[in-house]
Each structure stands twice: as structure tokens, then as C-alpha cells.
């Protein structure tokens, strides 16, 4: 990718204009991530949501490309999402569903770091707002705490369809 294929966020993070989405790839995730990187993708979107994403596969694909010298970690934009309990498969949770919401966010983030074999994320996204505004704010504040440590370079929200909610 060329420099014109990237934008700089308000936080100075170099973000590719297009990210490779890793949802619903299942057992093909690692191979498809390797192929995407080999073809020039420098941004990957995943989520701490085993119901629809295989973060371990994303991490394996990235690790293979790093070892092969196709890319460096600094050249890659890795984004993951915190998904609330109601969006999870109850048999495969990336965090303790009985923990406080702030602890769920922290546990999910740590699980994503392990799965992706990285020490930081370029983007941490709230997968969707909660029906309860107080819960949305609680999750967001937990994400801000991660951001303040430098372990997430920027924050975002997806699937937010109400401007007032945003």
C-alpha cells in the first residue's frame, strides 16, 4: 500500500482506508488473513466474539506473515472489538460474564491481545452500544482506561445508528 492509502486519525494513528474483515471465516481465518496481507491489506478488523470471529486464527495468520518478513507489526493496523454478553455465544465467552462490565472489557481486551499475539491494539471498538446508556458509558470508560495506558492507540464504536446515542 502507498501512503495515499492511509489516513491519520486525530490521535496520529496511521489507519488504512480499507480494513480486511475477519468475521465468519471460521477455520479458514488464518489462511485468509495470510492471503489478505500478502495481497497488500495492512488493516485487520476482528472482535472478541468467538460466535462470529476466530481471533486465534487472525493471530496465527499475522504471526506467519511476521515470521516470513512480509510485514512488521508497526506496518499493520490491528483492530478488535468488545462485544457485550448478549452478542456472545454463552459457551465460548472471552471474559467472565458474571464480572463487572469494566472487568469484562478488561478481560476481553487481554484475551484479544493473547489471541492476536500482540502487546497493543491500534483500535479498540465498542461493538455496539448497549440498550442502557449507563452501561454504554461504563463500557466506554473501561475502554478509556485501556487507552490511557497506551495499550489501545484509539477508540471507536460501531453499529451505532442513532446520532443522539453517539
Amino acid at each position: 500500500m502507498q501512503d495515499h492509502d492511509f489516513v491519520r486519525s486525530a490521535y496520529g494513528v496511521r489507519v488504512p482506508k480499507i480494513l480486511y474483515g475477519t468475521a465468519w471465516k471460521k477455520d479458514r481465518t488464518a489462511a485468509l488473513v495470510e492471503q489478505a496481507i500478502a495481497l497488500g491489506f495492512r488493516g485487520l478488523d476482528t472482535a472478541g466474539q468467538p460466535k462470529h470471529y476466530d481471533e486465534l486464527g487472525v493471530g496465527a495468520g499475522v504471526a506467519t506473515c511476521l515470521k516470513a518478513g512480509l510485514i512488521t507489526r508497526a506496518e499493520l493496523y490491528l483492530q478488535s472489538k468488545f462485544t457485550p454478553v448478549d452478542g456472545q455465544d454463552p459457551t465460548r465467552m472471552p471474559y467472565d460474564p458474571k464480572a463487572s462490565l469494566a472487568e469484562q472489557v478488561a478481560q476481553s481486551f487481554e484475551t484479544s491481545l493473547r489471541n492476536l499475539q500482540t502487546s497493543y491494539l491500534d483500535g479498540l471498538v465498542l461493538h455496539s452500544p448497549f440498550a442502557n446508556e449507563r452501561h454504554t458509558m461504563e463500557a466506554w470508560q473501561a475502554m478509556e482506561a485501556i487507552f490511557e495506558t497506551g495499550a489501545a492507540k484509539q477508540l471507536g464504536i460501531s453499529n451505532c445508528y442513532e446520532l443522539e446515542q453517539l
Side-chain angles (χ1 to χ4, degrees), residues 6 13-16 19 33 37 41-46 55 58-59 61-80 109 112-124 150-154:
F6 295 85
V13 177
R14 191 169 179 249
V15 183
L19 304 181
V33 164
I37 291 172
F41 278 89
R42 294 299 178 259
L44 301 174
D45 174 73
T46 189
E55 275 194 332
V58 174
V62 168
T64 297
C65 292
L66 290 171
K67 288 176 189 164
L70 293 178
I71 194 168
T72 66
R73 175 61 183 92
E75 295 170 318
L76 187 63
Y77 181 90
L78 275 178
Q79 171 176 288
S80 190
F109 180 75
S112 291
L113 292 181
R114 277 192 309 276
N115 288 343
L116 297 169
Q117 303 176 48
T118 189
S119 60
Y120 68 95
L121 289 178
D122 300 284
L124 176 60
K153 304 301 179 193
Q154 62 185 8

Side-chain angles (χ1 to χ4, degrees), residues 83-150:
T83 305
V85 170
D86 63 355
Q88 299 285 356
D89 173 348
T91 65
R92 297 184 297 151
M93 300 285 287
Y95 52 80
D96 178 358
K98 294 178 181 151
S100 72
L101 187 51
E103 290 170 342
Q104 290 175 12
V105 170
Q107 290 171 5
S108 179
F109 180 75
E110 289 300 322
T111 298
S112 291
L113 292 181
R114 277 192 309 276
N115 288 343
L116 297 169
Q117 303 176 48
T118 189
S119 60
Y120 68 95
L121 289 178
D122 300 284
L124 176 60
V125 176
L126 180 58
H127 212 151
S128 60
F130 289 78
N132 179 313
E133 184 179 336
R134 184 178 59 80
H135 291 151
T136 299
M137 291 308 299
E138 187 177 342
W140 188 261
Q141 289 167 348
M143 291 170 54
E144 285 179 330
I146 293 167
F147 171 80
E148 289 170 8
T149 71

Side-chain angles (χ1 to χ4, degrees), residues 6-36:
F6 295 85
V7 295
R8 289 263 176 210
S9 75
Y11 292 101
V13 177
R14 191 169 179 249
V15 183
K17 289 183 180 176
I18 187 167
L19 304 181
Y20 178 72
T22 63
W24 307 299
K25 308 297 190 280
K26 299 185 179 182
D27 61 342
R28 297 178 53 221
T29 300
L32 290 171
V33 164
E34 289 174 42
Q35 183 178 18

